Amino acid sequence: MSAASTPANSISLNVDLGDRSYPIHIGSGQISQVGIAQYIQGQKALIVTNTTIAPLYLQALIDQLPGVQIDTVILNDGEQYKNLDNLNTIFTALIENQHDRKTTLIALGGGVVGDMTGFAAASYQRGVPFIQVPTTLLAQVDSSVGGKTAVNHSLGKNMIGAFYQPQAVIIDTDTLSTLPDREFRAGLAEVIKYGLIVDAAFFDWLEQNAEALLARDSKALVYAIERSCINKAQVVSADETEQGVRAILNLGHTFGHAIETFQQYRGWLHGEAVAAGMVMAAELSVLAGTMSAADVTRARDLLIACGLPTQPPENMKADDFMALMVRDKKVLDGQLRLVLLNGIGVATVRADFELSWLQQILAEACTG
Ligand code: NAD
Ligand code: GLY
């Protein structure tokens, strides 16, 4: 990760990945100020968005692309639509409107739109460029950066996808003004994740600034997004395709994905499921002897202060978790691997935990 040149009023970072490197522009008014047209390589572009975001931001984005032939796909809104059927809607629009290999796809929306558009770009005619314009806090701090693209399968979350990096990530913090509170809080779970896995000083800052963040104080927000993107870009630059260290970005996700799949993607938000999952991972770390109970309390208290759940849904049993967790993408050669914490700010991926520890924390968490 390195700094790039930046217009006034904004911050630009660079994700360093050799010939797949790209900038992240962060700040107020970025959709209109960044000069998004510089990232369009041909004469055509397809903007993918959804029924909620289109009335809010689609025209503003189109206005920045005079002279480009724009087509649009407006998807149904919801995690339950992140599947192969709806992905096909994007391919149909591309083929019907004769988009060739020089077209550019633009994802305007949250992580659902971003993950689907990225996967469409990775596979349409074996790969066309795409740009991320994330409009949720979660997408701005996590899903738009790093090139993970995917759709869900009814049997498992994000099971079908590709690593495929965007040309640029354009984070317009003004879009957060219309984001519902629950979605905003879900994004904070991924922000807190960076403090827990790699950045103890940021965790301290979050404890002190949770109130300002919840009030959407613009300075605090830009700082939290910047610091999250710096942390993510560093991990991704070190391990683009998750051969090793990148897996720490999945703290709590094996538990969280089990919750989302159990609810068939119609219940808790991704960030909410991850919040509960991070507490379960922290509890497991206590049993593994690498984290103090006091640090788990700090993690739990910060999540609670941000209005996030710290226990699984009441109707989920330990067996439900076990049945779904064995299908996780971090299972290798039949062995479940989990991200554990060595205190706040240091994470490791481990397969050497006792199954009985996992059973114990699941039994304790699933008391509903
Ligand atoms: P989302 O995309 O479903 O967006 C949340 C809701 O907010 C939706 O209803 C959306 O229409 C609405 N919305 C978006 N922007 C808005 C705005 N500015 N104003 C008003 N409403 C707005 O959910 P999300 O939390 O952004 O993303 C979750 C998804 O991201 C999950 O599918 C998850 O698996 C994925 N994800 C991917 C990665 C990755 O590395 N690729 C990382 C984390 C999460
Ligand atoms: N959100 C996990 C990753 O990008 O690797």
Side-chain angles (χ1 to χ4, degrees):
M1 196 279 313
S2 62
S5 70
T6 167
N9 236 348
S10 68
I11 296 153
S12 290
L13 312 170
N14 203 51
V15 184
D16 293 331
L17 288 168
D19 60 3
R20 291 178 308 290
S21 297
Y22 54 93
I24 306 172
H25 302 288
I26 306 168
S28 164
Q30 292 298 281
I31 288 179
S32 56
Q33 285 170 24
V34 147
I36 193 169
Q38 68 184 294
Y39 299 113
I40 306 282
Q41 293 170 9
Q43 293 164 348
K44 283 189 168 192
L46 180 93
I47 302 176
V48 182
T49 187
N50 75 20
T51 49
T52 305
I53 301 151
L56 296 170
Y57 303 112
L58 180 56
Q59 193 54 50
L61 181 57
I62 292 172
D63 289 347
Q64 298 308 311
L65 297 165
V68 181
Q69 291 174 50
I70 304 283
D71 291 301
T72 56
V73 170
I74 299 177
L75 299 168
N76 288 325
D77 184 1
E79 183 74 37
Q80 69 271 33
Y81 298 109
K82 185 180 159 182
N83 56 31
L84 284 171
D85 283 349
N86 288 284
L87 187 70
N88 206 31
T89 310
I90 304 175
F91 295 134
T92 303
L94 285 163
I95 297 166
E96 279 181 353
N97 293 294
Q98 295 171 359
H99 285 253
D100 61 22
R101 281 186 167 159
K102 279 199 154 183
T103 194
T104 299
L105 270 58
I106 306 176
L108 174 67
V112 168
V113 166
D115 281 12
M116 290 180 73
T117 309
F119 188 37
S123 44
Y124 183 64
Q125 298 200 6
R126 302 197 180 88
V128 295
F130 87 111
I131 300 166
Q132 290 272 16
V133 186
T135 62
T136 63
L137 180 60
L138 186 140
Q140 296 184 351
V141 299
D142 192 354
S143 62
S144 66
V145 175
K148 275 192 181 175
T149 74
V151 292
N152 300 328
H153 189 281
S154 60
L155 297 178
K157 172 97 178 151
N158 291 337
M159 277 292 164
I160 306 154
F163 287 99
Y164 194 67
Q165 303 295 340
Q167 302 298 303
V169 179
I170 296 165
I171 298 177
D172 190 333
T173 51
D174 294 349
T175 59
L176 298 180
S177 65
T178 52
L179 192 66
D181 273 338
R182 185 178 170 200
E183 299 290 351
F184 183 83
R185 289 194 298 267
L188 287 176
E190 300 279 15
V191 174
I192 293 167
K193 175 187 79 180
Y194 295 111
L196 287 171
I197 60 173
V198 285
D199 195 344
F202 185 39
F203 188 90
D204 295 347
W205 181 90
L206 287 167
E207 287 181 318
Q208 283 147 30
N209 290 277
E211 234 173 88
L213 281 174
L214 286 164
R216 305 194 198 192
D217 172 83
S218 58
K219 258 180 137 177
L221 255 181
V222 169
Y223 178 74
I225 294 168
E226 177 192 6
R227 189 98 175 220
S228 298
C229 287
I230 288 172
N231 280 316
K232 177 137 192 194
Q234 268 168 353
V235 175
V236 168
S237 297
D239 178 20
E240 182 182 5
T241 57
E242 201 167 305
Q243 304 304 305
V245 68
R246 183 170 178 162
I248 65 171
L249 294 170
N250 293 319
L251 175 69
H253 283 55
T254 305
F255 299 98
H257 286 170
I259 295 171
E260 289 182 88
T261 307
F262 179 78
Q263 297 178 330
Q264 283 296 294
Y265 316 115
R266 289 164 194 271
W268 285 16
L269 303 177
H270 176 72
E272 293 169 340
V274 166
M278 290 195 297
V279 174
M280 294 162 89
E283 294 284 11
L284 190 59
S285 308
V286 174
L287 291 187
T290 59
M291 189 164 186
S292 67
D295 276 350
V296 180
T297 301
R298 280 181 74 193
R300 188 185 280 109
D301 286 352
L302 181 55
L303 292 163
I304 290 170
C306 292
L308 288 158
T310 55
Q311 288 218 286
E314 282 187 0
N315 63 342
M316 233 178 136
K317 305 278 173 260
D319 287 350
D320 299 323
F321 273 98
M322 288 305 280
L324 290 163
M325 286 170 72
V326 294
R327 290 192 205 135
D328 186 77
K329 290 191 292 309
K330 279 187 299 305
V331 172
L332 281 184
D333 296 330
Q335 190 158 36
L336 180 59
R337 298 176 314 136
L338 290 172
V339 184
L340 299 192
L341 293 169
N342 296 342
I344 286 170
V346 185
T348 49
V349 183
R350 292 186 52 180
D352 62 342
F353 54 86
E354 301 284 335
L355 199 58
S356 62
W357 301 342
L358 180 58
Q359 284 162 341
Q360 182 181 330
I361 70 112
L362 287 173
E364 283 168 8
C366 299
T367 51

